[in-house]
mmCIF file of all heavy atoms in Angstrom:
data_model
loop_
_atom_site.group_PDB
_atom_site.id
_atom_site.type_symbol
_atom_site.label_atom_id
_atom_site.label_comp_id
_atom_site.label_asym_id
_atom_site.label_seq_id
_atom_site.Cartn_x
_atom_site.Cartn_y
_atom_site.Cartn_z
ATOM 1 N N PRO A 45 -65.560 17.224 6.772
ATOM 2 C CA PRO A 45 -64.988 15.940 6.347
ATOM 3 C C PRO A 45 -63.666 15.710 7.082
ATOM 4 O O PRO A 45 -62.782 16.563 7.072
ATOM 5 C CB PRO A 45 -64.693 16.182 4.864
ATOM 6 C CG PRO A 45 -64.280 17.635 4.826
ATOM 7 C CD PRO A 45 -64.950 18.344 5.984
ATOM 8 N N ASP A 47 -61.221 12.859 6.748
ATOM 9 C CA ASP A 47 -60.517 11.666 6.275
ATOM 10 C C ASP A 47 -59.048 11.989 6.017
ATOM 11 O O ASP A 47 -58.315 11.170 5.484
ATOM 12 C CB ASP A 47 -61.170 11.116 5.000
ATOM 13 C CG ASP A 47 -61.251 12.147 3.889
ATOM 14 O OD1 ASP A 47 -60.921 13.322 4.114
ATOM 15 O OD2 ASP A 47 -61.645 11.772 2.768
ATOM 16 N N GLN A 48 -58.614 13.181 6.411
ATOM 17 C CA GLN A 48 -57.240 13.595 6.099
ATOM 18 C C GLN A 48 -56.212 12.780 6.865
ATOM 19 O O GLN A 48 -55.086 12.605 6.405
ATOM 20 C CB GLN A 48 -57.064 15.100 6.372
ATOM 21 C CG GLN A 48 -57.898 16.009 5.474
ATOM 22 C CD GLN A 48 -59.346 16.120 5.920
ATOM 23 O OE1 GLN A 48 -59.789 15.436 6.848
ATOM 24 N NE2 GLN A 48 -60.100 16.972 5.270
ATOM 25 N N GLU A 51 -55.828 10.096 4.523
ATOM 26 C CA GLU A 51 -55.356 10.532 3.200
ATOM 27 C C GLU A 51 -53.974 11.198 3.214
ATOM 28 O O GLU A 51 -53.221 11.070 2.264
ATOM 29 C CB GLU A 51 -56.378 11.510 2.595
ATOM 30 C CG GLU A 51 -57.794 10.950 2.481
ATOM 31 C CD GLU A 51 -58.124 10.337 1.122
ATOM 32 O OE1 GLU A 51 -57.516 10.752 0.132
ATOM 33 O OE2 GLU A 51 -58.990 9.445 1.071
ATOM 34 N N HIS A 52 -53.687 11.929 4.294
ATOM 35 C CA HIS A 52 -52.425 12.697 4.338
ATOM 36 C C HIS A 52 -51.518 12.296 5.487
ATOM 37 O O HIS A 52 -50.378 12.743 5.555
ATOM 38 C CB HIS A 52 -52.717 14.203 4.473
ATOM 39 C CG HIS A 52 -53.621 14.751 3.421
ATOM 40 N ND1 HIS A 52 -54.487 15.795 3.646
ATOM 41 C CD2 HIS A 52 -53.809 14.400 2.113
ATOM 42 C CE1 HIS A 52 -55.173 16.062 2.544
ATOM 43 N NE2 HIS A 52 -54.780 15.227 1.604
ATOM 44 N N TRP A 172 -66.835 12.206 -4.136
ATOM 45 C CA TRP A 172 -65.714 13.143 -4.129
ATOM 46 C C TRP A 172 -65.036 12.975 -5.505
ATOM 47 O O TRP A 172 -64.488 11.898 -5.790
ATOM 48 C CB TRP A 172 -64.691 12.726 -3.084
ATOM 49 C CG TRP A 172 -64.807 13.156 -1.656
ATOM 50 C CD1 TRP A 172 -63.840 13.842 -0.979
ATOM 51 C CD2 TRP A 172 -65.844 12.905 -0.686
ATOM 52 N NE1 TRP A 172 -64.237 14.048 0.333
ATOM 53 C CE2 TRP A 172 -65.466 13.486 0.536
ATOM 54 C CE3 TRP A 172 -67.083 12.265 -0.744
ATOM 55 C CZ2 TRP A 172 -66.240 13.440 1.682
ATOM 56 C CZ3 TRP A 172 -67.866 12.215 0.411
ATOM 57 C CH2 TRP A 172 -67.440 12.804 1.589
ATOM 58 N N TYR A 174 -62.125 14.026 -7.711
ATOM 59 C CA TYR A 174 -60.852 14.729 -7.678
ATOM 60 C C TYR A 174 -59.978 14.295 -8.853
ATOM 61 O O TYR A 174 -59.303 13.262 -8.804
ATOM 62 C CB TYR A 174 -60.128 14.427 -6.355
ATOM 63 C CG TYR A 174 -60.710 15.148 -5.159
ATOM 64 C CD1 TYR A 174 -60.276 14.863 -3.883
ATOM 65 C CD2 TYR A 174 -61.688 16.126 -5.320
ATOM 66 C CE1 TYR A 174 -60.795 15.529 -2.780
ATOM 67 C CE2 TYR A 174 -62.211 16.793 -4.224
ATOM 68 C CZ TYR A 174 -61.757 16.496 -2.968
ATOM 69 O OH TYR A 174 -62.280 17.164 -1.893
ATOM 70 N N ARG A 176 -57.099 13.574 -11.245
ATOM 71 C CA ARG A 176 -55.637 13.422 -11.118
ATOM 72 C C ARG A 176 -55.206 12.156 -11.845
ATOM 73 O O ARG A 176 -56.031 11.307 -12.149
ATOM 74 C CB ARG A 176 -55.196 13.363 -9.657
ATOM 75 C CG ARG A 176 -55.679 12.174 -8.862
ATOM 76 C CD ARG A 176 -55.373 12.310 -7.386
ATOM 77 N NE ARG A 176 -55.972 13.524 -6.848
ATOM 78 C CZ ARG A 176 -56.021 13.828 -5.551
ATOM 79 N NH1 ARG A 176 -55.487 13.036 -4.658
ATOM 80 N NH2 ARG A 176 -56.601 14.930 -5.129
ATOM 81 N N LYS A 207 -68.917 16.334 -4.882
ATOM 82 C CA LYS A 207 -68.003 17.250 -4.239
ATOM 83 C C LYS A 207 -66.780 17.435 -5.121
ATOM 84 O O LYS A 207 -66.165 16.461 -5.550
ATOM 85 C CB LYS A 207 -67.587 16.643 -2.902
ATOM 86 C CG LYS A 207 -66.588 17.487 -2.212
ATOM 87 C CD LYS A 207 -65.980 16.757 -1.067
ATOM 88 C CE LYS A 207 -64.957 17.661 -0.463
ATOM 89 N NZ LYS A 207 -64.183 16.992 0.547
ATOM 90 N N LYS A 209 -63.291 20.314 -6.108
ATOM 91 C CA LYS A 209 -62.495 21.438 -5.616
ATOM 92 C C LYS A 209 -62.892 22.699 -6.394
ATOM 93 O O LYS A 209 -63.287 22.598 -7.563
ATOM 94 C CB LYS A 209 -60.999 21.157 -5.806
ATOM 95 C CG LYS A 209 -60.562 19.963 -4.990
ATOM 96 C CD LYS A 209 -59.060 19.772 -4.984
ATOM 97 C CE LYS A 209 -58.743 18.526 -4.159
ATOM 98 N NZ LYS A 209 -57.335 18.282 -3.947
ATOM 99 N N SER A 255 -64.838 21.931 -1.968
ATOM 100 C CA SER A 255 -63.999 21.678 -0.790
ATOM 101 C C SER A 255 -63.179 22.903 -0.410
ATOM 102 O O SER A 255 -63.062 23.868 -1.178
ATOM 103 C CB SER A 255 -63.106 20.466 -1.016
ATOM 104 O OG SER A 255 -62.296 20.693 -2.124
ATOM 105 N N GLY A 256 -62.605 22.817 0.778
ATOM 106 C CA GLY A 256 -61.895 23.958 1.349
ATOM 107 C C GLY A 256 -60.428 24.033 0.979
ATOM 108 O O GLY A 256 -59.876 25.114 0.790
ATOM 109 N N GLY A 257 -59.781 22.871 0.885
ATOM 110 C CA GLY A 257 -58.365 22.829 0.547
ATOM 111 C C GLY A 257 -57.467 23.025 1.758
ATOM 112 O O GLY A 257 -57.927 22.991 2.902
ATOM 113 N N ILE A 281 -67.529 21.831 1.822
ATOM 114 C CA ILE A 281 -67.043 20.767 2.705
ATOM 115 C C ILE A 281 -65.674 21.237 3.150
ATOM 116 O O ILE A 281 -64.749 21.305 2.335
ATOM 117 C CB ILE A 281 -66.964 19.419 1.981
ATOM 118 C CG1 ILE A 281 -68.332 19.033 1.426
ATOM 119 C CG2 ILE A 281 -66.447 18.362 2.900
ATOM 120 C CD1 ILE A 281 -68.528 17.548 1.141
ATOM 121 N N VAL A 282 -65.573 21.612 4.404
ATOM 122 C CA VAL A 282 -64.351 22.269 4.874
ATOM 123 C C VAL A 282 -63.709 21.453 5.977
ATOM 124 O O VAL A 282 -64.214 21.405 7.098
ATOM 125 C CB VAL A 282 -64.683 23.683 5.389
ATOM 126 C CG1 VAL A 282 -63.404 24.410 5.770
ATOM 127 C CG2 VAL A 282 -65.425 24.478 4.337
ATOM 128 N N GLY A 283 -62.601 20.794 5.639
ATOM 129 C CA GLY A 283 -61.918 19.949 6.615
ATOM 130 C C GLY A 283 -60.776 20.653 7.306
ATOM 131 O O GLY A 283 -60.929 21.213 8.395
ATOM 132 N N ARG A 284 -59.605 20.679 6.635
ATOM 133 C CA ARG A 284 -58.405 21.218 7.284
ATOM 134 C C ARG A 284 -58.602 22.634 7.786
ATOM 135 O O ARG A 284 -58.112 22.999 8.851
ATOM 136 C CB ARG A 284 -57.224 21.147 6.312
ATOM 137 C CG ARG A 284 -56.684 19.746 6.176
ATOM 138 C CD ARG A 284 -55.806 19.608 4.980
ATOM 139 N NE ARG A 284 -56.569 19.592 3.736
ATOM 140 C CZ ARG A 284 -56.059 19.473 2.523
ATOM 141 N NH1 ARG A 284 -54.752 19.382 2.392
ATOM 142 N NH2 ARG A 284 -56.821 19.442 1.453
HETATM 143 P P1 FBP B 401 -60.177 19.784 2.960
HETATM 144 O O1 FBP B 401 -61.216 20.837 3.280
HETATM 145 O O2 FBP B 401 -59.251 19.540 4.091
HETATM 146 O O3 FBP B 401 -59.495 20.054 1.653
HETATM 147 O O4 FBP B 401 -60.956 18.432 2.838
HETATM 148 C C1 FBP B 401 -61.646 18.105 1.713
HETATM 149 C C2 FBP B 401 -61.184 16.762 1.193
HETATM 150 O O5 FBP B 401 -62.070 16.314 0.210
HETATM 151 C C3 FBP B 401 -61.057 15.670 2.219
HETATM 152 O O6 FBP B 401 -62.230 14.933 2.361
HETATM 153 C C4 FBP B 401 -59.918 14.885 1.682
HETATM 154 O O7 FBP B 401 -59.141 14.256 2.634
HETATM 155 C C5 FBP B 401 -59.051 15.910 1.029
HETATM 156 O O8 FBP B 401 -59.903 16.917 0.581
HETATM 157 C C6 FBP B 401 -58.274 15.255 -0.068
HETATM 158 O O9 FBP B 401 -57.508 16.175 -0.727
HETATM 159 P P2 FBP B 401 -56.342 15.672 -1.677
HETATM 160 O O10 FBP B 401 -56.728 14.303 -2.172
HETATM 161 O O11 FBP B 401 -56.279 16.672 -2.772
HETATM 162 O O12 FBP B 401 -55.120 15.642 -0.856
#
Side-chain angles (χ1 to χ4, degrees):
D47 56 354
Q48 295 80 354
E51 303 265 333
H52 305 149
W172 274 237
Y174 285 172
R176 65 189 58 171
K207 177 192 178 187
K209 297 189 181 186
S255 59
I281 302 201
V282 185
R284 284 164 286 180

